[in-house]
Amino acid sequence: MGLQIRDDRQMKALTGLSQTQFAHLLPVFSDIYQTTQQQTYEQGVESGTRTRTPGGGSKGKLPTMADKLLFVLYYYKTYPTFDVLGTQFDMVRSKAHENLHKLSPILHNTLGYCLPISYLVLNSLM
């Protein structure tokens, strides 16, 4: 499900970014997400706790990188409750909480990497 963004004005209202800024941030977010996932996988293999190969298991409610980035930006722009956030993205509140706490450090690292755009994000979120 997710949010249906119709235009640039709505994108800014829901995420604090224009569609161009979002498109600029997305590949960096994706790279950092993939790196983080690979590190988590390797740590699980080393410790012996990893039982599935990457990509195994059930698929989540945020299937694309754009959905993941939109989810975390929407939260920090609007600060909804987890009940509302879950409803907006078709998931239960506990999964909304879990996804937010998984994706927040990735967004933080992304903004640290994209320093010029992070000022725009921080200014629009405040």
Side-chain angles (χ1 to χ4, degrees), residues 80-113:
T81 64
F82 289 111
D83 287 311
V84 172
L85 185 62
T87 301
Q88 289 292 90
F89 287 88
D90 194 29
M91 63 182 74
V92 297
R93 71 174 173 254
S94 61
K95 195 49 95 169
H97 179 267
E98 183 182 319
N99 283 326
L100 179 70
H101 288 283
K102 178 183 176 183
L103 296 172
S104 289
I106 296 169
L107 177 64
H108 178 7
N109 291 339
T110 301
L111 294 176
Y113 185 82

Short mmCIF file of all heavy atoms in Angstrom, two decimals, residues 80-113:
data_model
loop_
_atom_site.label_atom_id
_atom_site.label_comp_id
_atom_site.label_asym_id
_atom_site.label_seq_id
_atom_site.Cartn_x
_atom_site.Cartn_y
_atom_site.Cartn_z
N PRO A 80 3.82 10.45 13.30
CA PRO A 80 2.56 9.79 13.65
C PRO A 80 2.80 8.74 14.74
O PRO A 80 3.94 8.32 14.99
CB PRO A 80 2.16 9.10 12.35
CG PRO A 80 3.47 8.75 11.72
CD PRO A 80 4.38 9.92 12.05
N THR A 81 1.74 8.30 15.40
CA THR A 81 1.87 7.17 16.31
C THR A 81 2.16 5.92 15.48
O THR A 81 1.95 5.91 14.26
CB THR A 81 0.57 6.95 17.11
OG1 THR A 81 -0.47 6.59 16.20
CG2 THR A 81 0.19 8.19 17.90
N PHE A 82 2.62 4.87 16.13
CA PHE A 82 2.91 3.65 15.39
C PHE A 82 1.63 3.01 14.86
O PHE A 82 1.67 2.32 13.84
CB PHE A 82 3.73 2.67 16.23
CG PHE A 82 5.15 3.14 16.42
CD1 PHE A 82 5.60 3.54 17.66
CD2 PHE A 82 6.02 3.20 15.35
CE1 PHE A 82 6.90 3.97 17.83
CE2 PHE A 82 7.33 3.65 15.50
CZ PHE A 82 7.77 4.03 16.76
N ASP A 83 0.51 3.24 15.52
CA ASP A 83 -0.77 2.75 14.99
C ASP A 83 -1.07 3.42 13.66
O ASP A 83 -1.45 2.75 12.70
CB ASP A 83 -1.91 3.03 15.97
CG ASP A 83 -1.87 2.11 17.18
OD1 ASP A 83 -1.73 0.89 16.99
OD2 ASP A 83 -1.97 2.63 18.31
N VAL A 84 -0.90 4.73 13.60
CA VAL A 84 -1.17 5.48 12.37
C VAL A 84 -0.14 5.12 11.30
O VAL A 84 -0.50 4.87 10.15
CB VAL A 84 -1.17 7.00 12.64
CG1 VAL A 84 -1.25 7.80 11.34
CG2 VAL A 84 -2.31 7.38 13.58
N LEU A 85 1.11 5.06 11.68
CA LEU A 85 2.17 4.71 10.73
C LEU A 85 1.92 3.33 10.13
O LEU A 85 2.04 3.13 8.92
CB LEU A 85 3.54 4.76 11.41
CG LEU A 85 4.77 4.55 10.56
CD1 LEU A 85 4.90 5.63 9.50
CD2 LEU A 85 6.02 4.51 11.43
N GLY A 86 1.57 2.38 10.98
CA GLY A 86 1.27 1.04 10.51
C GLY A 86 0.10 1.02 9.55
O GLY A 86 0.13 0.32 8.53
N THR A 87 -0.94 1.78 9.87
CA THR A 87 -2.11 1.84 8.99
C THR A 87 -1.75 2.43 7.64
O THR A 87 -2.17 1.92 6.60
CB THR A 87 -3.23 2.68 9.65
OG1 THR A 87 -3.58 2.07 10.89
CG2 THR A 87 -4.44 2.78 8.76
N GLN A 88 -0.96 3.49 7.64
CA GLN A 88 -0.56 4.13 6.38
C GLN A 88 0.23 3.19 5.48
O GLN A 88 0.17 3.29 4.26
CB GLN A 88 0.28 5.38 6.66
CG GLN A 88 -0.49 6.54 7.23
CD GLN A 88 -1.45 7.12 6.23
OE1 GLN A 88 -2.60 6.71 6.14
NE2 GLN A 88 -0.98 8.07 5.47
N PHE A 89 1.01 2.29 6.09
CA PHE A 89 1.88 1.41 5.30
C PHE A 89 1.45 -0.05 5.38
O PHE A 89 2.23 -0.95 5.05
CB PHE A 89 3.34 1.58 5.74
CG PHE A 89 3.93 2.88 5.29
CD1 PHE A 89 3.82 4.02 6.07
CD2 PHE A 89 4.57 2.98 4.07
CE1 PHE A 89 4.35 5.24 5.65
CE2 PHE A 89 5.11 4.19 3.64
CZ PHE A 89 4.99 5.32 4.44
N ASP A 90 0.21 -0.30 5.80
CA ASP A 90 -0.39 -1.63 5.79
C ASP A 90 0.42 -2.65 6.60
O ASP A 90 0.77 -3.72 6.10
CB ASP A 90 -0.58 -2.11 4.34
CG ASP A 90 -1.50 -3.32 4.25
OD1 ASP A 90 -2.38 -3.46 5.12
OD2 ASP A 90 -1.32 -4.12 3.32
N MET A 91 0.74 -2.29 7.85
CA MET A 91 1.44 -3.22 8.75
C MET A 91 0.96 -2.99 10.18
O MET A 91 0.36 -1.95 10.47
CB MET A 91 2.96 -3.04 8.64
CG MET A 91 3.47 -1.68 9.07
SD MET A 91 5.25 -1.47 8.88
CE MET A 91 5.44 -1.30 7.13
N VAL A 92 1.22 -3.92 11.04
CA VAL A 92 0.84 -3.77 12.44
C VAL A 92 1.80 -2.80 13.12
O VAL A 92 2.92 -2.59 12.64
CB VAL A 92 0.80 -5.12 13.18
CG1 VAL A 92 -0.26 -6.04 12.59
CG2 VAL A 92 2.15 -5.79 13.15
N ARG A 93 1.36 -2.22 14.23
CA ARG A 93 2.18 -1.19 14.88
C ARG A 93 3.54 -1.71 15.34
O ARG A 93 4.53 -1.00 15.29
CB ARG A 93 1.42 -0.54 16.03
CG ARG A 93 1.22 -1.41 17.22
CD ARG A 93 0.59 -0.62 18.37
NE ARG A 93 0.26 -1.54 19.43
CZ ARG A 93 -0.96 -1.92 19.72
NH1 ARG A 93 -1.97 -1.47 19.04
NH2 ARG A 93 -1.17 -2.76 20.71
N SER A 94 3.61 -2.98 15.78
CA SER A 94 4.90 -3.52 16.23
C SER A 94 5.89 -3.62 15.07
O SER A 94 7.09 -3.39 15.24
CB SER A 94 4.71 -4.88 16.90
OG SER A 94 4.15 -5.81 16.00
N LYS A 95 5.40 -3.95 13.89
CA LYS A 95 6.26 -4.03 12.71
C LYS A 95 6.67 -2.63 12.25
O LYS A 95 7.80 -2.43 11.80
CB LYS A 95 5.54 -4.78 11.59
CG LYS A 95 6.45 -5.22 10.47
CD LYS A 95 7.68 -5.93 10.94
CE LYS A 95 7.56 -7.41 10.94
NZ LYS A 95 8.86 -8.09 11.16
N ALA A 96 5.76 -1.64 12.39
CA ALA A 96 6.12 -0.26 12.07
C ALA A 96 7.25 0.20 12.98
O ALA A 96 8.22 0.83 12.54
CB ALA A 96 4.90 0.65 12.22
N HIS A 97 7.15 -0.13 14.26
CA HIS A 97 8.19 0.22 15.24
C HIS A 97 9.51 -0.46 14.88
O HIS A 97 10.57 0.18 14.85
CB HIS A 97 7.73 -0.20 16.64
CG HIS A 97 8.72 0.08 17.71
ND1 HIS A 97 9.64 -0.85 18.12
CD2 HIS A 97 8.93 1.19 18.45
CE1 HIS A 97 10.39 -0.33 19.07
NE2 HIS A 97 9.98 0.92 19.29
N GLU A 98 9.45 -1.75 14.58
CA GLU A 98 10.65 -2.50 14.22
C GLU A 98 11.31 -1.93 12.95
O GLU A 98 12.54 -1.75 12.91
CB GLU A 98 10.26 -3.96 13.99
CG GLU A 98 11.41 -4.88 13.68
CD GLU A 98 10.94 -6.30 13.42
OE1 GLU A 98 10.04 -6.78 14.15
OE2 GLU A 98 11.47 -6.93 12.48
N ASN A 99 10.49 -1.66 11.93
CA ASN A 99 11.04 -1.11 10.69
C ASN A 99 11.67 0.26 10.90
O ASN A 99 12.73 0.55 10.35
CB ASN A 99 9.96 -1.02 9.61
CG ASN A 99 9.65 -2.35 8.99
OD1 ASN A 99 10.52 -3.20 8.83
ND2 ASN A 99 8.40 -2.57 8.62
N LEU A 100 11.02 1.10 11.70
CA LEU A 100 11.57 2.43 11.95
C LEU A 100 12.93 2.34 12.63
O LEU A 100 13.87 3.02 12.23
CB LEU A 100 10.61 3.28 12.79
CG LEU A 100 11.15 4.67 13.08
CD1 LEU A 100 11.18 5.51 11.80
CD2 LEU A 100 10.35 5.35 14.15
N HIS A 101 13.04 1.49 13.63
CA HIS A 101 14.30 1.37 14.35
C HIS A 101 15.38 0.66 13.55
O HIS A 101 16.56 0.83 13.82
CB HIS A 101 14.08 0.75 15.72
CG HIS A 101 13.39 1.70 16.64
ND1 HIS A 101 14.03 2.74 17.26
CD2 HIS A 101 12.09 1.81 17.00
CE1 HIS A 101 13.17 3.44 17.96
NE2 HIS A 101 11.97 2.90 17.82
N LYS A 102 15.00 -0.08 12.55
CA LYS A 102 15.97 -0.68 11.64
C LYS A 102 16.45 0.34 10.60
O LYS A 102 17.63 0.38 10.25
CB LYS A 102 15.33 -1.88 10.93
CG LYS A 102 16.22 -2.56 9.93
CD LYS A 102 15.47 -3.68 9.24
CE LYS A 102 16.29 -4.32 8.16
NZ LYS A 102 15.53 -5.37 7.45
N LEU A 103 15.52 1.18 10.11
CA LEU A 103 15.84 2.10 9.01
C LEU A 103 16.40 3.45 9.47
O LEU A 103 17.08 4.12 8.70
CB LEU A 103 14.60 2.32 8.15
CG LEU A 103 14.08 1.07 7.43
CD1 LEU A 103 12.75 1.35 6.76
CD2 LEU A 103 15.09 0.55 6.44
N SER A 104 16.12 3.85 10.70
CA SER A 104 16.59 5.16 11.18
C SER A 104 18.11 5.31 11.13
O SER A 104 18.61 6.33 10.66
CB SER A 104 16.07 5.43 12.59
OG SER A 104 14.69 5.66 12.56
N PRO A 105 18.89 4.32 11.62
CA PRO A 105 20.35 4.47 11.52
C PRO A 105 20.83 4.54 10.07
O PRO A 105 21.82 5.22 9.77
CB PRO A 105 20.90 3.22 12.22
CG PRO A 105 19.78 2.66 13.00
CD PRO A 105 18.52 3.11 12.34
N ILE A 106 20.13 3.86 9.19
CA ILE A 106 20.52 3.89 7.77
C ILE A 106 20.26 5.28 7.20
O ILE A 106 21.09 5.82 6.47
CB ILE A 106 19.78 2.79 6.99
CG1 ILE A 106 20.23 1.42 7.53
CG2 ILE A 106 20.04 2.90 5.50
CD1 ILE A 106 19.42 0.26 7.06
N LEU A 107 19.12 5.88 7.56
CA LEU A 107 18.85 7.26 7.13
C LEU A 107 19.89 8.21 7.71
O LEU A 107 20.40 9.09 7.01
CB LEU A 107 17.45 7.70 7.55
CG LEU A 107 17.10 9.15 7.20
CD1 LEU A 107 17.08 9.37 5.69
CD2 LEU A 107 15.77 9.54 7.81
N HIS A 108 20.24 8.03 8.97
CA HIS A 108 21.23 8.88 9.61
C HIS A 108 22.57 8.79 8.87
O HIS A 108 23.20 9.81 8.57
CB HIS A 108 21.39 8.47 11.06
CG HIS A 108 22.41 9.24 11.85
ND1 HIS A 108 23.08 10.34 11.38
CD2 HIS A 108 22.87 9.07 13.10
CE1 HIS A 108 23.91 10.80 12.29
NE2 HIS A 108 23.80 10.05 13.34
N ASN A 109 23.00 7.57 8.55
CA ASN A 109 24.25 7.39 7.81
C ASN A 109 24.16 7.99 6.41
O ASN A 109 25.13 8.56 5.90
CB ASN A 109 24.62 5.91 7.72
CG ASN A 109 25.01 5.34 9.05
OD1 ASN A 109 25.38 6.06 9.97
ND2 ASN A 109 24.91 4.03 9.19
N THR A 110 23.00 7.86 5.79
CA THR A 110 22.79 8.42 4.45
C THR A 110 22.91 9.94 4.49
O THR A 110 23.57 10.53 3.63
CB THR A 110 21.40 8.02 3.92
OG1 THR A 110 21.32 6.60 3.87
CG2 THR A 110 21.15 8.60 2.53
N LEU A 111 22.28 10.56 5.47
CA LEU A 111 22.35 12.02 5.58
C LEU A 111 23.76 12.48 5.92
O LEU A 111 24.20 13.54 5.46
CB LEU A 111 21.36 12.52 6.62
CG LEU A 111 19.89 12.30 6.27
CD1 LEU A 111 19.00 12.76 7.41
CD2 LEU A 111 19.51 12.99 4.98
N GLY A 112 24.49 11.69 6.69
CA GLY A 112 25.88 12.01 6.97
C GLY A 112 26.74 11.96 5.72
O GLY A 112 27.66 12.75 5.54
N TYR A 113 26.41 11.04 4.82
CA TYR A 113 27.14 10.90 3.56
C TYR A 113 26.78 12.02 2.59
O TYR A 113 27.62 12.52 1.86
CB TYR A 113 26.84 9.54 2.94
CG TYR A 113 27.63 9.26 1.70
CD1 TYR A 113 28.94 8.79 1.77
CD2 TYR A 113 27.08 9.47 0.44
CE1 TYR A 113 29.67 8.53 0.63
CE2 TYR A 113 27.81 9.21 -0.71
CZ TYR A 113 29.09 8.76 -0.61
OH TYR A 113 29.82 8.51 -1.74
#
